[in-house]
Amino acid sequence: MQSPLNALTAAALALPGLVMPTAQAADDEFNVQYGHYQEENRQLFGVESKFRPIEVDTLQGSGNIKITDRTKFTFNYTQDTWSGATPIATAPLDLRGNSTINSPDGVTGATPVITGELYFDSELNPLRTNGFGTVIGGVDRQLVHTLSSASPETRKQGSFKLGHEWDEAALDVGGGISLEDDYESHFVNLGGRLDFNQKLTTLSGGLSYTGSNTNARIDHDALPYIDTAAYTSQIERTAEGGKIIHGDRKDWGAHLGLTQVLNKNALIEAGLGYTNSNGYMENPYKVVEVAFINGNIPPPDGAAYVGQVRALLEQRPNVRNQFNGNLSYVQHIDALDAALHFNYRYYLDDWGINAHTFESDWGQPLGHGWSVTPRIRYYSQDAADFYSPYLISKQAYNSGGFNRNLLPNNFSSDHRLSGFGALSGGITLSKKFAKGVDLDFGFEYYTHQGGLKLGGGGEGSYADFDYWTVNGALKVNLEALASSSDHSSHAHHQHQHGAMAPAGVMFDHMLGKGGFMVGYRYMYGSQGGDMLHGSNLVGDQAIVANGCGPNPCFVKPNSMAMHMHMLDIMYAPTDWLNLMVMPQFMDMSMTMRRLSGAPPDDDAPDGGGAHIPHHVENGHETGGISDMGVYALFKVLDAGHHHLHMGLGLSIPFGDVDIELRRNHQVDGGLIHYGMQLGSGTLDFKPSVTYTGNYDSWSWGAQLSGTKRLEKSGETGYRLGDIFQTTAWGGYNLTHWLSANVRGVYTVQGAIDGQFNQYIDQLGPMDYPNNYGGRFWDVGFGLNATVPGGDLAGNTLGVEWLQPVGTDYNGYQLDRDGSLSATWHYAF
């Protein structure tokens, strides 16, 4: 029997992320969610920033699988790619006109131009100048953020949990790993639950441990401006002359929670938590501006002091003790069949931060499977004890350094440690399309302001900014799907999927009238090792001389990896027509190395040689939403063992084609390589013709498909080459639920037409349009499986490895290692 707590939680329409204890294991389910975070422009007081604000694309997939009635396995995978500009420091507004390069917009350069001179009156108030050392006004206390931009970076995190439930108790253990280029963490956790009072009262608790390691690169452009003296023992010099800061950290946590059902329509939950952190706590990319006042330098007329401004890496305490408590209330309103959620959280730590969070949402069913959930959230925090926008020190700064004892032990100008308030509101719209299949769409808008802090005293308006998020989620309850399908339907699915095509083939079958299918498709491609010209191996000297057209080459790609995640959503309005939507999420990474015998860096065109150390030491990454496909499949022949259908589709250019590498003060910025943009940039026509057949335990098929670019060029001035592909395969049923297949593939892709209409560092073959496309021969080996019975009956899985056997490139390109495809589908 379902417990009152579980029943009330379900009735209350608890949103994702609102964790409620349950008395029974969750159903088998699979969720995938995409989110986009976008900041608005920062306040720069009349200076137009050259930067794009921060944006983040996030993909999350999770699932619950019952191993037994009482034992479940939960997994979660998250990856996010962020790019854009973020504050690196804060300083008086006048510093931007007194930088070392006398630039009136030095505040907006990608290189943190954060040194210079400031003039002060006798009370150490900053004075306004004309940018050339002449005081022209009175006191100007206005502050401004110095922004710094980075190339796109990707974080990937995977976690799992294994849990077992008894009649009135549960225990679970979990762990995971989070990876970034400059950061890695591993974590484990243990949790448990006890039910009392006929399961009307639940006590929960848990322990966690996280170990993390930071290896942050301070790039070459920033080194002249940043003082790293405080971290000498943690710094390693790189081969290219850069610096890496190393730091380790450990976090121990514990939490305790109590949930009480008050009546059939209400419950209350309270919780306490504690975390102890020790080790390297700093953000290695944040600095504090320090104005060193040297009494030996005569000030100009109208000023009392001259301050030599230098940027010091922030220094935080090595220990942090954090406490938090929460109180939640859920009320179901019978008259409206709705639910009200209210939550309050309190946080404090020994850094001096006290924070309050109030949030509430209203879950309202609308009928016909629709529901809407508006919500509001308010957050306020006090500043950390060591937070300061900038510092003034009455001592000279010279080549011998400075007296560290005359500065505070800890200091940071990170605005996230300041006093501020944040107000947000949003809405989620949900639709239950069929039993067990849900789609959610959400939007939320936030405003971050010092003036919103409880009790006042927040940071100045210079730090105010807004941001918004959008997200969409597909939720599939596999048990509900299985229970809604009769035995004959499962038999049909098994027969159909027993003859399905290899995992790397799309559009291989059609559904019957009224059929609906949801699926997930993953593709991985890898390149590495040798460079080819056509089909021949080439060495560094040939690449230097010929790989970059009229210019010499300086670097070459050393490895490249592509990960693509796709949703397959198909519906059959008739027996002869299927409609399909395929949203895609993609991420790519590339490493490079210097070419032996290349000219000196200074010989690179347009000053791009200054970027070569960055290219070599830092892998390039991109990630986010890619182009979306919409397709129609038309049945041509359905004659027993032989089937023929035609597909017509469009690829809609949702993927970015103007992704930039980190901007540099010498140029306005450079686009990343053609092959690492996320979309084609053009509307593309994608036709296909597919034949399949089967007899007894054998199956076979063939497909012709292509991609025709329908526009002369995309927004950044080029278009990718057209594609033609032919493939044929054969399969054999090893058992009634498992089959093996083999196939051959021939692909032709044209070179890129046109070129970027914006600046790009042309340093290697990957930056020239003629080094794309070619002719490719591949052989694939795969397995397909259909779950034959139980709650997961009818789910199909496929995997295929595609091995290159012949390559004839256009121009100079990195050799291919192979590609992997994996699929999951369920039709009902």
Side-chain angles (χ1 to χ4, degrees):
M1 186 179 78
Q2 192 178 42
S3 72
L5 176 59
N6 198 37
L8 180 58
T9 302
L13 302 173
L15 292 173
L18 180 57
V19 180
M20 292 283 188
T22 59
Q24 296 182 352
D27 289 343
D28 293 323
E29 62 181 11
F30 172 75
N31 303 328
V32 61
Q33 178 170 310
Y34 165 76
H36 181 81
Y37 168 97
Q38 180 68 67
E39 287 190 4
E40 304 290 349
N41 289 320
R42 300 270 177 160
Q43 170 62 271
L44 296 178
F45 303 101
V47 174
E48 183 178 352
S49 176
K50 301 174 183 177
F51 295 141
R52 298 177 181 179
I54 285 181
E55 60 178 323
V56 183
D57 288 288
T58 301
L59 180 70
Q60 181 177 13
S62 62
N64 294 315
I65 299 175
K66 279 188 179 180
I67 299 175
T68 69
D69 286 343
R70 292 182 177 269
T71 304
K72 65 178 179 180
F73 178 77
T74 301
F75 64 89
N76 184 82
Y77 172 77
T78 302
Q79 72 174 55
D80 46 56
T81 301
W82 67 269
S83 61
T86 186
I88 186 176
T90 306
L93 181 63
D94 194 64
L95 182 63
R96 73 179 186 188
N98 282 292
S99 69
T100 55
I101 61 172
N102 290 321
S103 169
D105 62 346
V107 68
T108 64
T111 300
V113 183
I114 47 181
T115 61
E117 291 184 345
L118 284 174
Y119 302 142
F120 299 90
D121 65 13
S122 59
E123 296 181 358
L124 299 182
N125 295 307
L127 300 172
R128 185 178 306 148
T129 71
N130 64 357
F132 297 95
T134 301
V135 178
I136 61 172
V139 171
D140 186 355
R141 296 188 181 89
Q142 181 61 64
L143 303 178
V144 68
H145 279 151
T146 298
L147 301 180
S148 179
S149 182
S151 298
E153 296 183 12
T154 297
R155 176 186 70 95
K156 298 183 179 182
Q157 178 175 305
S159 63
F160 74 92
K161 184 168 66 175
L162 183 65
H164 185 81
E165 301 207 3
W166 293 269
D167 288 342
E168 295 182 340
L171 184 68
D172 57 62
V173 60
I177 183 172
S178 180
L179 299 173
E180 303 174 48
D181 282 345
D182 55 3
Y183 179 81
E184 179 176 333
S185 69
H186 303 79
F187 49 91
V188 294
N189 48 69
L190 177 70
R193 192 197 73 236
L194 291 173
D195 297 325
F196 304 95
N197 187 26
Q198 298 180 325
K199 297 188 178 181
L200 297 175
T201 306
T202 296
L203 179 67
S204 61
L207 300 171
S208 65
Y209 168 77
T210 301
S212 56
N213 177 260
T214 297
N215 293 283
R217 294 180 183 269
I218 303 178
D219 65 49
H220 308 75
D221 287 332
L223 277 175
Y225 303 99
I226 295 178
D227 189 302
T228 60
Y231 296 90
T232 303
S233 63
Q234 296 173 255
I235 288 179
E236 169 193 344
R237 281 278 183 179
T238 69
E240 294 288 336
K243 290 183 177 181
I244 299 179
I245 297 181
H246 300 281
D248 297 324
R249 172 175 168 174
K250 295 179 174 59
D251 296 86
W252 296 89
H255 74 270
L256 186 67
L258 179 68
T259 303
Q260 175 66 51
V261 175
L262 302 178
N263 54 55
K264 68 175 184 177
N265 288 326
L267 65 81
I268 192 170
E269 180 185 30
L272 294 172
Y274 168 73
T275 301
N276 171 264
S277 304
N278 61 83
Y280 182 76
M281 303 286 187
E282 286 78 8
N283 183 325
Y285 305 111
K286 301 291 186 182
V287 300
V288 176
E289 304 275 35
V290 181
F292 292 92
I293 294 179
N294 185 356
N296 295 325
I297 299 179
D301 292 340
Y305 300 103
V306 177
Q308 301 293 321
V309 179
R310 295 295 181 267
L312 277 60
L313 287 174
E314 68 168 23
Q315 297 185 41
R316 304 184 184 187
N318 293 329
V319 177
R320 189 178 192 180
N321 293 291
Q322 304 165 74
F323 305 86
N324 63 81
N326 72 279
L327 183 65
S328 301
Y329 177 76
V330 180
Q331 175 69 53
H332 184 254
I333 296 94
D334 287 334
L336 299 174
D337 191 25
L340 172 66
H341 296 170
F342 177 79
N343 179 261
Y344 168 73
R345 291 192 298 274
Y346 177 69
Y347 168 92
L348 66 90
D349 62 26
D350 54 3
W351 286 7
I353 296 178
N354 292 271
H356 305 266
T357 305
F358 304 86
E359 55 188 337
S360 182
D361 61 72
W362 179 280
Q364 180 63 61
L366 302 176
H368 304 288
W370 290 93
S371 63
V372 62
T373 306
R375 57 187 173 275
I376 189 169
R377 178 181 181 270
Y378 171 73
Y379 174 83
S380 175
Q381 74 170 41
D382 298 327
D385 295 334
F386 52 87
Y387 170 79
S388 180
Y390 71 101
L391 297 175
I392 298 175
S393 181
K394 289 188 175 182
Q395 60 173 308
Y397 184 98
N398 51 47
S399 58
F402 57 93
N403 186 345
R404 176 66 181 83
N405 294 327
L406 296 180
L407 293 178
N409 290 330
N410 300 292
F411 46 83
S412 174
S413 64
D414 190 337
H415 67 280
R416 291 168 295 188
L417 296 177
S418 68
F420 67 90
L423 182 64
S424 67
I427 190 169
T428 296
L429 186 65
S430 301
K431 168 64 175 176
K432 185 179 290 294
F433 283 93
K435 186 176 181 182
V437 178
D438 296 343
L439 281 177
D440 291 349
F441 302 94
F443 172 81
E444 194 148 6
Y445 195 88
Y446 302 74
T447 182
H448 171 290
Q449 298 180 27
L452 288 175
K453 177 182 174 296
L454 280 176
E459 62 183 335
S461 61
Y462 69 91
D464 293 350
F465 68 97
D466 298 335
Y467 57 97
W468 51 266
T469 63
V470 293
N471 63 78
L474 170 68
K475 306 175 184 179
V476 181
N477 187 313
L478 301 178
E479 290 189 53
L481 286 178
S483 65
S484 64
S485 303
D486 59 26
H487 177 78
S488 63
S489 176
H490 281 307
H492 169 70
H493 293 161
Q494 291 175 28
H495 172 75
Q496 181 190 52
H497 294 154
M500 67 181 182
V505 177
M506 295 188 289
F507 322 121
D508 59 299
H509 70 276
M510 294 184 64
L511 304 174
K513 181 179 180 180
F516 192 86
M517 184 192 77
V518 293
Y520 165 76
R521 186 181 300 271
Y522 168 76
M523 298 180 67
Y524 164 77
S526 175
Q527 294 176 257
D530 298 317
M531 291 286 288
L532 302 181
H533 178 227
S535 56
N536 302 313
L537 295 176
V538 289
D540 283 9
Q541 294 301 320
I543 301 170
V544 171
N546 304 308
C548 297
N551 302 314
C553 288
F554 296 82
V555 298
K556 74 172 236 10
N558 201 45
S559 67
M560 183 170 179
M562 180 275 294
H563 303 265
M564 180 177 288
H565 308 266
M566 294 171 278
L567 285 181
D568 294 346
I569 304 173
M570 181 184 286
Y571 173 67
T574 71
D575 282 329
W576 58 268
L577 173 64
N578 282 194
L579 302 176
M580 189 174 186
V581 176
M582 185 178 289
Q584 300 179 113
F585 187 99
M586 177 187 296
D587 71 272
M588 291 175 284
S589 61
M590 176 186 285
T591 62
M592 283 177 284
R593 71 167 177 85
R594 287 178 180 268
L595 286 165
S596 177
D601 292 354
D602 291 342
D603 291 350
D606 299 319
H611 300 166
I612 290 177
H614 177 79
H615 287 303
V616 174
E617 287 200 340
N618 300 275
H620 294 169
E621 297 177 328
T622 57
I625 200 77
S626 185
D627 297 345
M628 184 175 74
V630 291
Y631 306 93
L633 304 183
F634 303 89
K635 184 181 295 183
V636 178
L637 174 69
D638 190 3
H641 297 292
H642 304 279
H643 314 273
L644 182 69
H645 63 267
M646 177 178 67
L648 298 176
L650 288 175
S651 178
I652 303 173
F654 285 167
D656 290 338
V657 291
D658 59 352
I659 300 173
E660 297 179 340
L661 292 167
R662 179 181 57 81
R663 290 180 182 267
N664 180 274
H665 69 278
Q666 297 175 344
V667 295
D668 284 340
L671 296 176
I672 203 166
H673 329 293
Y674 295 92
M676 292 192 68
Q677 302 292 341
L678 296 178
S680 69
T682 56
L683 185 67
D684 303 331
F685 176 52
K686 301 176 76 72
S688 64
V689 177
T690 306
Y691 162 76
T692 59
N694 59 62
Y695 183 77
D696 288 337
S697 295
W698 295 93
S699 62
W700 56 88
Q703 185 182 83
L704 298 176
S705 61
T707 301
K708 175 65 179 176
R709 315 296 173 183
L710 298 181
E711 298 177 86
K712 183 177 180 179
S713 67
E715 63 181 86
T716 46
Y718 69 94
R719 70 176 180 189
L720 300 178
D722 294 340
I723 301 173
F724 170 78
Q725 185 177 91
T726 179
T727 182
W729 65 88
Y732 181 76
N733 290 342
L734 303 175
T735 70
H736 71 286
W737 59 271
L738 180 67
S739 64
N741 53 68
V742 61
R743 73 174 175 126
V745 189
Y746 173 64
T747 307
V748 179
Q749 181 170 5
I752 292 175
D753 185 19
Q755 61 184 1
F756 280 127
N757 55 19
Q758 301 176 32
Y759 178 81
I760 176 175
D761 277 334
Q762 292 185 304
L763 302 175
M766 62 284 177
D767 299 318
Y768 290 82
N770 56 310
N771 294 323
Y772 285 86
R775 291 144 295 282
F776 315 106
W777 295 262
D778 303 274
V779 175
F781 305 91
L783 293 172
N784 294 327
T786 301
V787 180
D791 291 337
L792 299 179
N795 286 272
T796 62
L797 303 170
V799 63
E800 180 190 41
W801 174 259
L802 209 58
Q803 180 64 40
V805 295
T807 300
D808 183 14
Y809 277 132
N810 297 328
Y812 293 78
Q813 299 182 51
L814 189 61
D815 200 6
R816 300 182 300 144
D817 295 328
S819 61
L820 174 72
S821 295
T823 62
W824 163 79
H825 289 98
Y826 190 93
F828 54 95

